[in-house]
Amino acid sequence: MVSRVIPVEPFDLVIFGGTGDLARRKILPALFRRFCAGQMPHEARIIGAARSRHGADEYKATVRAAIVEFVGGNEAQSDALEGFVDRIDYVTVDARGTDGWAELAGKMRDGCVRAFYFSVAPALFGDLAERIHHHGIATEQSRIVVEKPFGNDLATARALNDTLAEHFDEGQIYRIDHYLGKETVQNLMAIRFGNMLFEPLWNSQYVDHIQITVAETVGVGGRGEYYDKAGAMRDMMQNHLMQLLCLIAMEPPAKFDPDAVRDEKLKVIRALDAVEPHHIVRGQYQALDGEHPGYREAAGNPRSSTESYIALKAHISNWRWAGTPFYLRTGKRLVARSSVISVVFKDAPHSIFGAEAGRHANVLSIRLQPNEGITLQVTIKEPGPGGMRLVDVPLDMTFAEALGPEGGDPPDAYERLIMDVIRGNQTLFMRGDEVEAAWAWADPMIAGWTARGEVPKPYESGSVGPDHAEQLLRRDGRAWRGIKP
Ligand code: NAP
């Protein structure tokens, strides 16, 4: 099955922080792939902007090197690379100064979409918004893209929303959560709202519980200083896992349009109960055989009480979900890299096969990475003679296989999201009130463990996390599903 590519309108995309890590690793490779796919029109232009003094040719060389490093293979060696690089320009701009702004204003073309990607430290978002406005660089149709983290708590998120709102309408602000750009996340909505099969069962009457796991094998690496001020709650739970929770739990929106979808997500966040302290487990990874440093060493803070792992049990107080727990966990240096949502259905009310047939629950697993796909675990008779024994087997739909080789790999999340910015579609971006509501849910938990002086539980690198997290489910007569690559 070959996916259809519809070219977007011509655009000028300014990447503030165009020389930084995110631009080189994600944004420029994503744009290059869309260029190769024929989605980026030839009139499109990408302007890198940062304080470093580069000529346009020097920056083009940086872009070429980034594509070779992060896209690699034949793709990066093709003629397409030169065609792509021809669309690149550079301006030396200081977000906090006067340098470069007039030059940037002079480069903007009339009659095409203007988008400004803020790929710089969040402390600069307000400065950029103010200067873009002051220098008359933005039109009413211009868009700004802001990266995570969006605030550090409710107060800072609110302040940032207010600052951006001084210069841009909410309809012009695209807050990125790259999890929302994943193929499977959108498929989650297609599966729920495009089929009759699941939605009648999608409630507390039939669903025993839901698990959301985002496991990483990497440690904090070079991000130790930032991470130690954030921790797994701020870095992952409040944003990525919260967004997944919203999509799995929300009511069907009346239509697939940005505000209809985001209104429903917001209702989920607002219906979340406060999480009780004994329903939260925080952990910190330990060193592994002298091979990998432990969290505290990696973070450069020997007395750190920041969590590199968090698991919690959440409840949504509404008609659909009353009584169904949502178990969420995320952590670093775990046994495998795996992001999965599992909807665990209740057992059949009565087993006609007797107690010896055991308990068999259907599980719908939505894998976000690696190998994006969906598996439905169903119960069948064990093949062969000798009585009625039951086994659980997966009905597996790995997208790469199901859609065939012509389908290619699904586009990277950044590819889809940047094209959505150009198209002016905000469905997969967080609205300001959603972000604030998510902080309002997370803040009391953080304040609680800070006030109690809690120290995270140690866990072995390469494990499934602290044992206390296993107990969180064991107490309820349940178990986490395995973390498998
Ligand atoms: P980075 O590697 O430190 O790059 C920062 C960029 O900002 C550089 O291009 C830098 O260039 C530019 N810059 C710094 N001060 C500036 C100023 N006053 N005016 C104009 N440009 C300035 O950071 P990054 O890792 O790319 O992260 C960028 C943003 O993305 C951050 O908000 C981060 O939280 C977010 N993010 C990053 C990742 C990731 O994987 N890297 C993932 C998720 C979110 P000059 O020094 O030359 O000015």
Side-chain angles (χ1 to χ4, degrees):
M1 200 184 300
V2 183
S3 57
R4 255 182 327 144
V5 172
I6 303 169
V8 295
E9 282 179 63
F11 61 84
D12 279 344
L13 171 66
V14 180
I15 309 175
F16 292 104
T19 55
D21 177 66
L22 184 71
R24 289 182 347 94
R25 262 184 336 105
K26 290 289 181 186
I27 304 172
L28 290 162
L31 285 161
F32 174 64
R33 288 205 172 98
R34 287 298 91 202
F35 178 77
C36 293
Q39 196 165 22
M40 193 175 131
H42 278 264
E43 303 88 330
R45 234 174 17 157
I46 299 156
I47 305 171
R51 288 168 310 176
S52 321
R53 302 208 167 268
H54 295 298
D57 285 342
E58 220 180 318
Y59 184 62
K60 286 180 188 196
T62 308
V63 173
R64 218 177 265 121
I67 303 297
V68 169
E69 183 175 356
F70 298 108
V71 178
N74 295 336
E75 250 184 304
Q77 273 141 32
S78 64
D79 295 343
L81 180 54
E82 287 317 304
F84 177 71
V85 165
D86 278 348
R87 261 132 217 105
I88 302 280
D89 201 349
Y90 183 81
V91 187
T92 302
V93 166
D94 185 349
R96 290 205 160 133
T98 49
D99 269 10
W101 288 99
E103 189 189 346
L104 179 59
K107 283 188 186 278
M108 305 309 292
R109 297 171 299 172
D110 289 333
C112 62
V113 172
R114 293 183 188 183
F116 303 94
Y117 201 126
F118 292 7
S119 182
V120 293
L124 298 176
F125 292 172
D127 296 293
L128 286 178
E130 197 268 318
R131 279 167 177 74
I132 290 171
H133 183 83
H134 177 78
H135 290 274
I137 297 175
T139 59
E140 274 179 22
Q141 282 74 40
S142 298
R143 289 124 215 198
I144 59 168
V145 185
V146 288
E147 264 297 336
K148 80 171 226 188
F150 198 89
N152 193 43
D153 55 18
L154 176 57
T156 49
R158 210 173 254 162
L160 187 48
N161 274 334
D162 290 348
T163 306
L164 296 181
E166 283 173 28
H167 308 294
F168 294 96
D169 292 339
E170 182 60 37
Q172 297 178 283
I173 304 172
Y174 290 70
R175 296 176 193 78
I176 282 228
D177 183 321
H178 70 273
Y179 270 63
L180 291 181
K182 289 185 181 290
E183 183 80 3
T184 326
V185 169
Q186 288 168 74
N187 239 315
L188 176 56
M189 287 190 269
I191 282 172
R192 279 195 64 190
F193 305 131
N195 295 287
M196 195 54 206
L197 195 60
F198 296 112
E199 202 49 27
L201 307 179
W202 211 261
N203 55 55
S204 59
Q205 207 182 334
Y206 296 100
V207 175
D208 179 71
H209 72 279
I210 291 178
Q211 299 187 10
I212 303 178
T213 296
V214 176
E216 299 179 282
T217 49
V218 292
V220 290
R223 296 170 68 219
E225 197 185 326
Y226 154 76
Y227 193 91
D228 203 46
K229 293 193 196 89
M233 173 56 114
R234 290 188 171 100
D235 192 48
M236 298 293 292
M237 183 68 80
Q238 179 273 347
N239 40 55
H240 303 317
L241 278 86
M242 173 62 83
Q243 289 296 321
L244 300 180
L245 171 72
C246 287
L247 294 176
I248 203 98
M250 72 184 184
E251 295 301 315
K255 48 190 171 178
F256 190 58
D257 100 1
D259 277 327
V261 171
R262 297 184 304 174
D263 285 346
E264 294 306 334
K265 283 162 57 194
L266 180 62
K267 285 185 207 161
V268 172
I269 307 176
R270 291 196 171 148
L272 279 166
D273 288 344
V275 181
E276 296 182 37
H278 66 283
H279 288 159
I280 307 169
V281 178
R282 296 162 65 235
Q284 237 179 23
Y285 64 81
Q286 304 296 289
L288 180 66
D289 306 331
E291 195 187 325
H292 293 298
Y295 173 78
R296 289 178 173 186
E297 192 186 331
N301 180 0
R303 296 164 62 83
S304 173
S305 57
T306 301
E307 73 286 352
S308 60
Y309 174 100
I310 186 165
L312 56 83
K313 173 173 158 182
H315 277 112
I316 299 171
S317 280
N318 64 17
W319 271 54
R320 186 185 284 264
W321 294 118
T324 300
F326 287 73
Y327 299 100
L328 278 56
R329 66 178 164 170
T330 180
K332 296 197 172 292
R333 279 260 184 272
L334 296 178
V335 59
R337 173 173 171 263
S338 167
S339 298
V340 185
I341 304 171
S342 298
V343 180
V344 181
F345 289 90
K346 291 187 174 173
D347 290 350
H350 163 72
S351 172
I352 64 168
F353 307 110
E356 61 277 12
R359 297 173 61 185
H360 298 271
N362 298 124
V363 181
L364 181 71
S365 294
I366 300 136
R367 285 192 310 278
L368 283 95
Q369 62 190 21
N371 310 324
E372 294 190 55
I374 291 179
T375 308
L376 177 63
Q377 186 175 289
V378 291
T379 304
I380 60 160
K381 177 192 165 296
E382 195 177 284
M388 196 67 172
R389 288 187 302 275
L390 303 183
V391 285
D392 295 328
V393 294
L395 289 180
D396 201 330
M397 194 176 99
T398 304
F399 295 150
E401 283 168 23
L403 300 180
E406 305 86 9
D409 290 335
D412 173 76
Y414 276 91
E415 294 178 49
R416 171 173 293 115
L417 293 175
I418 297 171
M419 291 299 108
D420 276 359
V421 172
I422 305 300
R423 278 189 287 252
N425 184 346
Q426 289 185 305
T427 311
L428 300 175
F429 295 82
M430 295 179 295
R431 211 169 51 191
D433 51 5
E434 268 183 85
V435 179
E436 290 185 17
W439 279 121
W441 173 77
D443 275 0
M445 283 184 261
I446 300 171
W449 70 59
T450 308
R452 292 188 297 275
E454 279 174 18
V455 177
K457 315 274 183 257
Y459 62 92
E460 276 177 38
S461 288
S463 70
V464 293
D467 194 45
H468 286 73
E470 303 300 305
Q471 288 165 25
L472 181 69
L473 271 75
R474 218 178 288 144
R475 281 202 298 259
D476 296 345
R478 303 185 175 104
W480 288 110
R481 300 184 59 77
I483 300 179
K484 296 185 193 122

